């Protein structure tokens, strides 16, 4: 999780950790906007209102929890092959 954070929210959380190294100070907030209302959460991916990678698909459908690598899983359309997200892997289909 710390070496290869896959979910955009995880990456944002980790990048918000203050650094004691003056050359690696975070000067730009990793997230903008307010957290979603838990009583009336947004449709689709709950993070789509603040995600820098959000696309139309993200607000329409809840992402499935998918395996990534090295036992990691993430609930993000960018990691679901052929999901329709432009950053998702595309599986090559064999000719019939
Ligand atoms: S599903 Fe979409 S909005 Fe949600 S974390 Fe992934 S890219 Fe961002």
């Amino acid at each position: 999780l710390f070496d290869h954070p896959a979910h955009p929210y995880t990456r944002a959380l980790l990048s918000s950790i203050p650094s004691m190294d003056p050359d690696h100070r975070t000067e730009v907030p990793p997230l903008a906007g307010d957290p979603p209302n838990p009583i009336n959460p947004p449709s689709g991916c709950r993070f789509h209102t603040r995600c820098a990678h959000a696309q139309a698909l993200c607000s329409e459908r809840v992402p499935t929890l998918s395996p990534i690598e090295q036992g990691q899983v993430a609930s993000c359309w960018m990691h679901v092959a052929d999901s329709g997200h432009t950053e998702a892997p595309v599986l090559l289909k064999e000719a019939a």
Side-chain angles (χ1 to χ4, degrees):
L1 184 133
F2 291 99
D3 291 339
H4 305 286
H7 196 280
Y9 187 59
T10 306
R11 290 199 295 261
L13 289 177
L14 291 175
S15 69
S16 69
I17 296 172
S19 172
M20 297 304 289
D21 182 346
D23 293 333
H24 292 95
R25 293 258 163 87
T26 301
E27 298 186 9
V28 178
L31 292 175
D34 296 324
N37 182 342
I39 296 173
N40 185 22
S43 60
C45 175
R46 302 293 198 239
F47 186 51
H48 84 263
T49 57
R50 298 191 297 158
C51 180
H53 302 275
Q55 298 181 355
L57 163 73
C58 303
S59 63
E60 297 164 0
R61 295 171 43 209
V62 176
T64 54
L65 191 63
S66 304
I68 299 177
E69 59 184 27
Q70 301 170 351
Q72 274 188 290
V73 293
S75 182
C76 174
W77 288 122
M78 289 196 304
H79 297 290
V80 178
D82 291 333
S83 68
H85 194 287
T86 59
E87 297 179 56
V90 175
L91 297 178
L92 299 176
K93 295 189 173 49
E94 292 183 27

